[in-house]
Amino acid sequence: MVDLQKLGDREVDERIAVLKEKLGEDLFIPVHHYQRDEIVQFADYTGDSLELSRVSAKTDARFIVFCGVFFMAEIARVLAARDKYVFIPNRDAGCPLADFASLEDVEAVWRVLQEVDAGGYIPVTYANSHAEVKAFCGREGGLVCTSSNVQKIFSWILDRGKRVFFMPDRNLGINTAAAMGMADEFCVVRSEPEKEREEIRGKRIVIWDGFCIVHKRFTMQQVARWRGEDPEVRIVVHPESDPEIVDASDDTGSTSKIKRLVEESPPGSKWVIGTEFNMVQRLKSEHPDKFVEPLEVSVCRNMSSIRRRDLMKTLLAIEDGDYADQVVLPEDQVRDAAAAIEKMLEIS
Ligand code: SF4
């Protein structure tokens, strides 16, 4: 067995390249935009969670090695055909935002919502949630959304005369309600939904009280500092940022939208970006003819926890026919979560 810690980075990279070559079309490596460059260099596809969901569902490869956080590998497991094997090179790469909503807590709030308006709510969970919460949404006739399609999904629910029960990201929920002109029509459920019954009763959108620590680090002081330094910069932030930051910015959008804005802007454009640092750094190096800086350095430690040696270890295990570390979910969870994800893919 190779001692990976004794190998230099370059040797590890060379060996990964050889393993990739060997596994050929049997291997597919989807990589999220927030991953480190040392992982992105081996990507078969780079994207945000929606794009990666789509490509993982369609790949013919037998082995999907998902480089992102655990909920993304779960999505790949749910969508990929049963004869595919899904791996994540570091199983500890979780998502603190997803951890805000356990199935038990979600079901407790759901019971209160049924007392307020039985059959009146459609649950919708952000992709950044655990598979058990996605499965809950599927069971209850609900669906999944991402930051690219959340507004479309909210409209789809409201157009049916139903109310939205959205989890787990408070800021994405509030920013979406505000963008739809519904700033007065939402409430945030905190720890004791029974006590909030009256407030819930009057609202069309009920939002879970979770947040992403990476996007919560952006502040009005940072926005003011950049505006003061150069009034020509355009500030664009991810909608998981606080509503006041979104309001003070020039634009907001998913990671894919942010990427597109920078790519399509003319040389000399100036961008200050409020999202995960690895992605901003990559945009900066890909566009040397533009000014690209982070609003503040904010790294997702979970995304960054996948390292080249983790990837190599996973590929070696696959080469050896050792699939013990694959991502496995209970069959009923797969079925119900698939229903929620497929409904999202149909609508968006
Ligand atoms: S950036 Fe935030 S939402 Fe995304 S994986 Fe990291 S903690 Fe979770």
Side-chain angles (χ1 to χ4, degrees), residues 155-206:
S155 298
W156 183 86
I157 294 172
L158 296 165
D159 289 350
R160 275 157 183 72
K162 299 284 187 182
R163 305 197 216 197
V164 175
F165 171 38
F166 175 69
M167 64 214 103
D169 190 68
R170 178 182 66 209
N171 285 344
L172 183 61
I174 294 175
N175 289 324
T176 304
M180 295 172 77
M182 299 182 71
D184 296 330
E185 300 198 53
F186 73 82
C187 68
V188 177
V189 276
R190 303 190 193 272
S191 49
E192 295 180 281
E194 291 82 7
K195 293 190 182 160
E196 296 157 333
R197 207 179 293 256
E198 281 319 302
E199 200 192 346
I200 289 171
R201 200 180 294 284
K203 304 296 181 186
R204 294 178 71 198
I205 302 174
V206 174

Side-chain angles (χ1 to χ4, degrees), residues 143-156:
L143 63 175
V144 173
C145 74
T146 71
S147 54
S148 322
N149 61 25
V150 56
Q151 199 164 322
K152 205 181 257 185
I153 303 281
F154 275 26
S155 298
W156 183 86

